[in-house]
Amino acid sequence: MGIALIMLLVLAVLFLLMAVRVVKQGYVYTIERLGKFTLAAEPGLHLIVPFIDRVGHKINVMEQVLDIPGQEIITKDNAMVGVDAVVFFQVLDAGKAAYEVSGLHNAILALTTTNLRTVMGSMDLDETLSKRDEINARLLSVVDHATSPWGIKITRVEIKDIRPPLDISEAMARQMKAERLKRAEILEAEGDRASRILRSEGEKQSAILTAEGKREAAFRDAEARERAAEAEATATRLVSDAIAQSGNAAINYFVAQEYTKAVGKFATSPNAKTILFPVEATQLIGSLGGIGELVREAIGPADGNVTAPAPDAGTPLPSQRERVPRSSVPRSGGNG
């Protein structure tokens, strides 16, 4: 009796352990009753009927990453490129993911690989290298639509790497180098053109300013000559007025003044070694008087108010006056 009771208690404990199922967070268990899917157990504690119900599949409902191995793909322009990609997906319906497809990961891998070949095979090499976003978007749309009956959601498809052939890589490197050199030459030419333009503008402004300076200088020079001429005319008019008012005295004064200046210039000349100079002061005065007489005779008939007096018989004319003997100045090196 005691042994039977103990066995019943052991069987009850075993039955209870088989009936209790704990589902971890991030997973969904499918419960099968007599081999038929009946329930998707969410995370937490669940009770099932032992020997009748059992756990069919443990489905991971977290977002997962599936690595697509490298593929050799022929592009539209017959270039062979190697491509690596990754797929991000999440299970939304555990029942469909468990029973609608056999081998979920392999199915996603095969579907993504075939569509990757289709999408990139319809594009040129340059497009595959420059339009990765477009490739990702097209792959995401196609693969997500194809896997929707499996109860999963393709959240992202990313191209990790595109490896063109070695010869194409070298050609692309040469092309990039040529493009860089072209840009450098263009920038250098533009800089040289800008420099030439600025230099020409500077020379133009300099020529304009030089011409304006010459014009201003010529204008001021002409103005100075005009003022000098006006001053000369004024001086001449004043001299004429003085001569008209004072007669011979003014003429004798001006002639003597100019004669004295001329004699002073002879004295200060650096090339003059010997000068003939009148010794008697009366000779200089007589010469001045003679010049005055000549000027008076020249202007006498032109002036109606001035009449030249008739010379007396006893007064000798300037031409008849006794010439004052000049003393000869001995020259340097002479005998006397």
Side-chain angles (χ1 to χ4, degrees):
M1 182 86 183
I3 297 175
L5 182 59
I6 292 173
M7 292 184 65
L8 288 175
L9 290 175
V10 171
L11 290 174
V13 171
L14 292 174
F15 186 82
L16 182 61
L17 291 176
M18 293 177 64
V20 175
R21 289 291 183 267
V22 178
V23 181
K24 296 186 297 182
Q25 183 66 37
Y27 286 84
V28 173
Y29 294 176
T30 60
I31 306 300
E32 298 176 356
R33 177 165 293 177
L34 300 175
K36 183 180 180 181
F37 170 71
T38 58
L39 177 65
E42 299 292 336
L45 180 63
H46 295 272
L47 295 175
I48 62 175
V49 179
F51 304 107
I52 297 176
D53 296 337
R54 71 181 185 90
V55 177
H57 296 83
K58 297 179 180 180
I59 305 299
N60 186 354
V61 294
M62 295 181 290
E63 187 171 4
Q64 302 176 59
V65 180
L66 182 61
D67 190 13
I68 307 298
Q71 303 291 321
E72 295 294 331
I73 300 175
I74 301 177
T75 60
K76 185 179 179 180
D77 52 353
N78 298 324
M80 184 72 69
V81 294
V83 181
D84 294 335
V86 289
V87 178
F88 296 82
F89 69 95
Q90 184 177 14
V91 176
L92 301 180
D93 191 333
K96 291 183 178 181
Y99 301 106
E100 294 292 336
V101 61
S102 177
L104 181 61
H105 287 186
N106 291 332
I108 296 175
L109 178 62
L111 185 62
T112 305
T113 301
T114 55
N115 283 279
L116 182 61
R117 292 176 180 274
T118 302
V119 172
M120 296 190 65
S122 63
M123 303 175 69
D124 295 334
L125 177 61
D126 292 338
E127 293 179 343
T128 59
L129 296 175
S130 61
K131 297 182 178 180
R132 292 195 180 189
D133 292 339
E134 182 179 346
I135 296 173
N136 295 336
R138 292 175 62 179
L139 283 175
L140 177 61
S141 175
V142 173
V143 177
D144 183 55
H145 179 73
T147 57
S148 59
W150 301 343
I152 64 174
K153 173 66 177 177
I154 304 298
T155 58
R156 186 177 302 174
V157 179
E158 294 290 342
I159 301 296
K160 289 197 305 182
D161 187 23
I162 299 178
R163 299 178 302 276
L166 182 60
D167 55 346
I168 294 179
S169 299
E170 294 177 353
M172 292 172 61
R174 292 195 300 269
Q175 180 182 2
M176 181 183 66
K177 182 178 179 180
E179 185 69 23
R180 300 280 183 180
L181 291 176
K182 183 182 74 173
R183 292 181 182 178
E185 291 177 357
I186 290 174
L187 291 177
E188 184 178 358
E190 290 179 351
D192 185 63
R193 183 185 66 178
S195 176
R196 291 176 182 272
I197 291 174
L198 292 177
R199 190 179 296 110
S200 300
E201 287 291 336
E203 293 176 356
K204 174 184 175 182
Q205 293 295 329
S206 176
I208 291 174
L209 293 177
T210 302
E212 290 181 353
K214 290 182 179 179
R215 185 184 66 179
E216 183 69 20
F219 176 77
R220 293 184 179 275
D221 184 54
E223 186 178 7
R225 290 197 303 270
E226 181 181 357
R227 291 184 179 181
E230 292 178 355
E232 186 70 20
T234 302
T236 303
R237 186 175 62 255
L238 293 177
V239 170
S240 300
D241 293 342
I243 292 174
Q245 294 178 2
S246 301
N248 295 338
I251 295 175
N252 291 334
Y253 172 76
F254 288 120
V255 172
Q257 186 179 16
E258 295 298 326
Y259 187 82
T260 304
K261 290 180 180 179
V263 171
K265 290 181 179 180
F266 278 114
T268 58
S269 175
N271 298 324
K273 299 292 181 139
T274 304
I275 303 174
L276 295 176
F277 190 81
V279 177
E280 298 84 355
T282 56
Q283 185 177 359
L284 175 62
I285 297 174
S287 299
L288 297 178
I291 294 172
E293 290 294 336
L294 293 175
V295 173
R296 183 176 60 184
E297 290 177 0
I299 66 173
D303 191 355
N305 297 326
V306 179
T307 57
D312 295 336
T315 304
L317 293 175
S319 58
Q320 299 175 357
R321 293 176 182 173
E322 296 180 357
R323 299 183 180 274
V324 179
R326 298 176 181 268
S327 61
S328 62
V329 179
R331 298 179 182 272
S332 60
N335 296 326

